[in-house]
Amino acid sequence: MITKENLQLGILHFKMQRWAFRSAPKSKYNSMGQIEQSPEEAKVHSSSRDTCLNTHYLYGLGRISNRGIFMLCVMLICVALTSLSVYELRHAESDRGYVLPHPEQVVEKDSVKKPGFAVYGRNVDAGYLKHVYLVFERLGFERRNDSDWDVLWAHMYPFRVLYSSLKNLKPHQKVNHFPGSGYITQKVDLATSGIPYIPVAFRIPADLEKLFEYAKVKPEALFVQKSNDHRGVTITKVKDLNLKAEGTFVQEYVGRPLLVDGHKFDIGVYTIQTSIDPLRVYAYNGDVILRFCPEKYYPLNPDVLDKYVVGDDYLPTWEVPSLRKYYIDLGFSMKESLNAHLRDIGKDPNKMWDQIDDALRHAYLKTEPLMIKSASNYRSKRNFFEMVRFDFVVDEDLNVYIMEANMSPNLSSQHFPPNRIIYEQVLFNVLSLVGVGRRIHGDSLRPRSRDEEVMQVAEKNLMVFPSVCARKLCRSSCVSPDCQLCKPCLTPETMDVLKAAYMEHINRQECKRIFPPHMTEEDAKKSISLEEYSPENQLMYRWFQGKCLIDRTWC
């Protein structure tokens, strides 16, 4: 405890030190470090040394004057008073249960700042985001409740409520959704988009005439009636549909589904969209999630939904005998367990996966213009990324159909604990791909220096088509489209786009590029028409094509 007496002693101590300093003789030093004296000073000092007047000899200090002795005594008194004050202060603090540390030894808890993530959604601490929090923490992030975050993980679509906060994001800030992503994840919009690999669908009541015409052409067709919440799905004929239920749509039912041990199932494929304009999309290639209907499909009874509708209480992979031997006994992933089973029954799984990749490309290319328009209200399109789970069903001939796309897919393993591994690996791969899980650690995702950026990706890493760019045409002009990726023709904007694409490729882990399409070296050597793509997407495709010709790992 600091008392009035201790304070007065401290003030006295300070005044005496200041007086001692001002009273001390000032000496000058020559270039050799010796005291430089005037002739008069030298004479006086010489006389003093000769006569030893007014001096005393102190062991360890030599001869010292009376004035010096006085100053020494003052200093000793000050030291004693200071020591007494510190002792009393420490004693007072120890009475309160702790000792005040030395200022140089004070280390605040968690004083090293970490990059931060924030969350947005309903009841975000209820446990369903447990694995999201764990992965962020393992990557060195801490959760924040203010605006000083590097990553916003939104379980709900954030752009309506948080628009004012998200429209002017800083360059380093990331949000796990794109503006306008509902165009691809809203069930009605996706089903009626006309994208290949989606069973034909009709809005109710707007498309009733089209529905009746289709039913006439295919009288044997069965339909399911759905809404955005995907509840109450049943197989029925057109005549039994509720054609007055607004906000619903009717979709043709996929008959003859592929079965495993008699059970119908769907395949959940995790995709990551990292950019629009130009478009870049990846799929997590390390695994998929397989969900089986609890009841065997045959004999089919439309009244028993567990025979053909995958619900929350689905049958997991490890309870399906033909897959269990691969998944449990031999330790393969769900994806490879399914592949092995298909080969066992004489089917080529590559036919299925090639269609899935193509279906994903069509879905993203179809919705990209709508998302570009939505993102135009924001400062930059580069602040966003999105993970979506597409659910597919497959028929007996391995034809693939998109059922839905989930904007915020379930990542909770509470119901099925073994799914923890796939959820955390998906999250790790997604965050690595988009540059959130970084090799270079800091207190933020902000780049700390130009040298740090160049260390990761330099201009030389972006250059492609050396033989083309070496031509006189491309060295003197940028008129030819062939020269657009040559250094003299690259704008700062294009350089930034290419740098982002380069870093994604380096950090992709087990993610596979879906768009621009992966290719073979032979494909890269071919001249193909890109007219169906936007100019930005054409340039992005050609850059990956050029990188593939230099290094096959880019194909």
Side-chain angles (χ1 to χ4, degrees):
M1 179 177 180
I2 301 176
T3 63
K4 181 177 180 181
E5 290 77 13
N6 287 337
L7 183 60
Q8 290 173 342
L9 286 172
I11 295 172
L12 177 61
H13 174 202
F14 172 78
K15 288 182 177 180
M16 294 181 72
Q17 282 185 322
R18 185 173 63 176
W19 174 83
F21 175 80
R22 290 179 175 177
S23 302
K26 305 297 188 293
S27 299
K28 298 181 180 179
Y29 294 83
N30 59 24
S31 61
M32 300 298 293
Q34 299 170 331
I35 296 178
E36 188 175 276
Q37 299 174 329
S38 66
E40 291 76 14
E41 289 174 326
K43 183 177 180 180
V44 170
H45 291 170
S46 175
S47 174
S48 298
R49 283 195 299 270
D50 291 341
T51 59
C52 296
L53 296 176
N54 299 319
T55 63
H56 299 273
Y57 186 88
L58 293 181
Y59 180 75
L61 298 177
R63 296 185 180 279
I64 186 168
S65 66
N66 290 336
R67 182 177 182 182
I69 291 175
F70 174 76
M71 291 176 59
L72 182 61
C73 292
V74 169
M75 293 176 64
L76 290 173
I77 293 172
C78 291
V79 170
L81 290 173
T82 302
S83 300
L84 180 61
S85 298
V86 171
Y87 172 79
E88 291 181 352
L89 182 59
R90 286 178 178 267
H91 182 70
E93 295 292 353
S94 65
D95 290 342
R96 292 165 54 184
Y98 62 91
V99 177
L100 186 69
H102 188 279
E104 294 180 358
Q105 298 175 336
V106 174
V107 178
E108 295 182 5
K109 184 179 180 181
D110 297 331
S111 60
V112 178
K113 185 179 178 182
K114 299 178 180 180
F117 74 96
V119 291
Y120 171 73
R122 294 190 183 94
N123 301 319
V124 294
D125 292 316
Y128 65 91
L129 294 177
K130 171 185 175 181
H131 298 299
V132 175
Y133 297 163
L134 285 173
V135 173
F136 269 111
E137 290 168 3
R138 290 167 186 165
L139 291 173
F141 283 72
E142 62 183 5
R143 186 175 167 188
R144 304 259 175 84
N145 292 320
D146 53 26
S147 60
D148 185 25
W149 46 262
D150 295 277
V151 183
L152 173 65
W153 189 271
H155 189 72
M156 298 166 53
Y157 188 76
F159 299 103
R160 297 185 183 91
V161 176
L162 303 181
Y163 173 74
S164 60
S165 301
L166 302 180
K167 67 178 180 179
N168 291 310
L169 293 172
K170 299 173 183 176
H172 71 282
Q173 291 183 302
K174 300 283 187 181
V175 180
N176 71 320
H177 292 294
F178 272 96
S181 59
Y183 289 113
I184 202 168
T185 58
Q186 286 286 343
K187 293 177 176 62
V188 175
D189 292 336
L190 180 65
T192 58
S193 63
I195 297 171
Y197 302 98
I198 295 181
V200 63
F202 307 90
R203 292 178 184 267
I204 300 299
D207 297 330
L208 283 179
E209 291 186 8
K210 294 180 181 179
L211 170 62
F212 294 145
E213 290 176 3
Y214 187 83
K216 287 180 181 179
V217 175
K218 295 185 67 174
E220 76 285 357
L222 296 174
F223 296 90
V224 291
Q225 190 164 4
K226 303 179 181 179
S227 61
N228 271 328
D229 60 12
H230 210 153
R231 303 301 177 190
V233 177
T234 56
I235 301 174
T236 184
K237 290 280 190 179
V238 170
K239 62 183 181 65
D240 296 321
L241 293 171
N242 181 1
L243 302 180
K244 296 182 180 181
E246 295 189 5
T248 66
F249 64 100
V250 172
Q251 190 169 36
E252 185 176 8
Y253 177 72
V254 177
R256 301 185 307 108
L258 178 66
L259 307 177
V260 178
D261 294 338
H263 296 271
K264 182 185 175 184
F265 65 98
D266 66 12
I267 303 173
V269 178
Y270 295 92
T271 65
I272 308 98
Q273 186 174 13
T274 61
S275 174
I276 55 174
D277 197 32
L279 179 66
R280 292 194 301 276
V281 180
Y282 299 78
Y284 175 59
N285 200 39
D287 207 351
V288 297
I289 190 160
L290 302 178
R291 305 182 305 169
F292 292 81
C293 293
E295 299 286 337
K296 290 190 176 184
Y297 188 75
Y298 293 114
L300 180 59
N301 182 351
D303 294 331
V304 182
L305 298 183
D306 282 345
K307 286 179 171 287
Y308 62 94
V309 176
V310 175
D312 295 334
D313 293 320
Y314 60 85
L315 186 71
T317 301
W318 50 89
E319 293 185 15
V320 180
S322 292
L323 300 187
R324 178 184 174 85
K325 64 182 180 181
Y326 292 106
Y327 185 75
I328 297 295
D329 300 342
L330 300 177
F332 286 95
S333 66
M334 297 187 204
K335 180 179 180 179
E336 291 305 321
S337 297
L338 177 61
N339 287 345
H341 170 71
L342 292 177
R343 294 187 186 102
D344 289 343
I345 61 176
K347 296 181 181 292
D348 180 9
N350 290 326
K351 176 183 177 181
M352 178 178 65
W353 299 117
D354 288 344
Q355 289 181 75
I356 286 177
D357 289 352
D358 194 45
L360 294 173
R361 279 191 286 273
H362 277 89
Y364 280 103
L365 283 168
K366 178 76 173 183
T367 55
E368 185 197 20
L370 298 171
M371 296 175 70
I372 292 173
K373 184 177 179 180
S374 296
S376 64
N377 296 319
Y378 297 80
R379 175 186 290 180
S380 173
K381 299 185 288 291
R382 296 182 193 161
N383 294 103
F384 312 108
F385 67 95
E386 182 123 20
M387 179 188 71
V388 170
R389 192 192 75 214
F390 280 79
D391 293 336
F392 295 87
V393 296
V394 187
D395 68 15
E396 292 176 347
D397 300 321
L398 297 190
N399 296 312
V400 166
Y401 302 88
I402 298 176
M403 289 292 99
E404 61 181 345
N406 299 274
M407 181 181 70
S408 293
N410 173 48
L411 295 172
S412 171
S413 64
Q414 183 175 1
H415 196 51
F416 296 109
N419 285 343
R420 172 188 63 84
I421 297 174
I422 184 174
Y423 295 153
E424 292 185 1
Q425 286 191 325
V426 167
L427 287 164
F428 171 69
N429 277 261
V430 169
L431 296 178
S432 176
L433 176 70
V434 300
V436 171
R438 304 197 303 170
R439 293 182 175 91
I440 298 176
H441 298 286
D443 61 1
S444 171
L445 294 183
R446 297 181 183 91
R448 288 170 288 188
S449 69
R450 168 72 175 168
D451 290 340
E452 182 181 292
E453 290 186 66
V454 173
M455 178 181 72
Q456 298 175 81
V457 51
E459 284 185 356
K460 67 178 182 178
N461 303 121
L462 309 179
M463 299 302 114
V464 292
F465 301 117
S467 59
V468 173
C469 294
R471 297 173 187 169
K472 184 177 180 180
L473 173 65
C474 292
R475 297 176 67 183
S476 60
S477 171
C478 295
V479 175
S480 173
D482 292 339
C483 304
Q484 291 179 350
L485 289 169
C486 300
K487 181 178 177 180
C489 304
L490 290 175
T491 64
E493 173 73 14
T494 303
M495 290 283 282
D496 288 341
V497 169
L498 299 183
K499 287 178 182 178
Y502 180 91
M503 291 305 299
E504 287 170 9
H505 179 82
I506 297 301
N507 297 325
R508 69 191 185 283
Q509 302 285 346
E510 287 197 86
C511 296
K512 177 178 67 174
R513 193 178 74 244
I514 297 297
F515 190 87
H518 49 90
M519 60 193 80
T520 65
E521 287 182 271
E522 290 71 26
D523 293 335
K525 294 175 182 177
K526 297 176 183 177
S527 177
I528 64 173
S529 174
L530 301 175
E531 292 181 358
E532 60 181 312
Y533 299 151
S534 68
E536 292 76 14
N537 288 340
Q538 290 182 30
L539 194 69
M540 193 82 266
Y541 181 97
R542 291 186 62 248
W543 183 75
F544 276 103
Q545 184 183 21
K547 292 294 289 184
C548 175
L549 293 173
I550 294 174
D551 181 352
R552 68 180 63 183
T553 63
W554 284 80
C555 297

